[in-house]
Amino acid sequence: LFRSYPTLPLKYMFQIFEIAGVPILVHLSTFIFLGFFTVLALFWGWPFLVLALLCLALIFFHELGHYYVAQHYGYRCHGIFLFPFLGICFFDEPEFLIEEIAIAWAGIGVQFFWLLIAAIIFYTWSEPPTLIRLFLLDRKSTRLNSSHT
C-alpha cells in the first residue's frame, strides 16, 4: 500500500477537510451509500441512517488511530481516504517492524475503545434481563428448544 499511493486513482474523490495539513478525502460511492440509507430512513425509520453514519464514523476513527500513531513516530501522513466499508491511511513506510506493528494495531485499538464506550452505554441504558439474555445462555429455553426438534 505504501508504494501504491502515487498511482492510486483519485477520480471521484472529494476532499472534505484537513487535519494538520493531511487531506481527508471521501469517495463518491460514500455519498451514494449515505443517500441510500437516507431513503431507507425516510421509509423505515432513522435507525438506518444512524447505522450508516456510525459505520462511517468508526472507519474514520480507525484511520485516525493509524494517523496519530504514525505521526507519533515521526512519519508523514499523505492522506486519509474514506469509502463506504473501507478506509486507507497513507503514510511513509516505517523503518522498524515494531513501529509498523504499533501503527497497524492503532486502528484496532481505537475500535476497541469505541466498543467499550458502546458497551457502557448499552449496560447503563439496558435492563439487566436484556443483558442476561444477550450475554448469558438461558439453559431452560435451550432445553425447551432442543426437546421440540
Side-chain angles (χ1 to χ4, degrees):
L1 285 177
F2 302 111
R3 291 177 186 85
S4 64
Y5 171 72
T7 61
L8 186 73
L10 297 177
K11 193 174 185 179
Y12 306 117
M13 297 293 291
F14 301 96
Q15 182 174 339
I16 52 173
F17 59 92
E18 287 185 0
I19 296 178
V22 176
I24 310 299
L25 294 106
V26 177
H27 192 263
L28 176 65
S29 61
T30 307
F31 298 110
I32 295 169
F33 172 80
L34 284 175
F36 174 74
F37 276 88
T38 301
V39 170
L40 286 178
L42 291 173
F43 289 102
W44 290 289
W46 61 269
F48 286 98
L49 184 59
V50 171
L51 179 66
L53 290 171
L54 287 174
C55 178
L56 291 173
L58 185 62
I59 292 169
F60 176 68
F61 285 120
H62 174 100
E63 297 308 321
L64 277 182
H66 297 306
Y67 163 76
Y68 282 118
V69 175
Q71 292 286 93
H72 171 75
Y73 285 117
Y75 298 109
R76 184 171 176 267
C77 185
H78 302 282
I80 295 176
F81 299 175
L82 301 173
F83 299 89
F85 298 103
L86 171 73
I88 303 171
C89 179
F90 286 102
F91 49 87
D92 295 336
E93 189 168 359
E95 293 180 39
F96 304 104
L97 179 61
I98 192 70
E99 293 174 342
E100 188 172 349
I101 291 170
I103 293 169
W105 278 92
I108 302 296
V110 170
Q111 283 183 240
F112 184 72
F113 169 78
W114 285 110
L115 172 69
L116 290 177
I117 297 297
I120 290 169
I121 290 170
F122 181 76
Y123 178 76
T124 57
W125 286 356
S126 269
E127 297 176 11
T130 304
L131 288 173
I132 292 169
R133 280 195 310 272
L134 185 62
F135 293 114
L136 299 177
L137 179 62
D138 183 9
R139 294 172 195 256
K140 289 182 182 179
S141 65
T142 305
R143 270 187 262 142
L144 289 174
N145 290 336
S146 63
S147 64
H148 291 297
T149 55

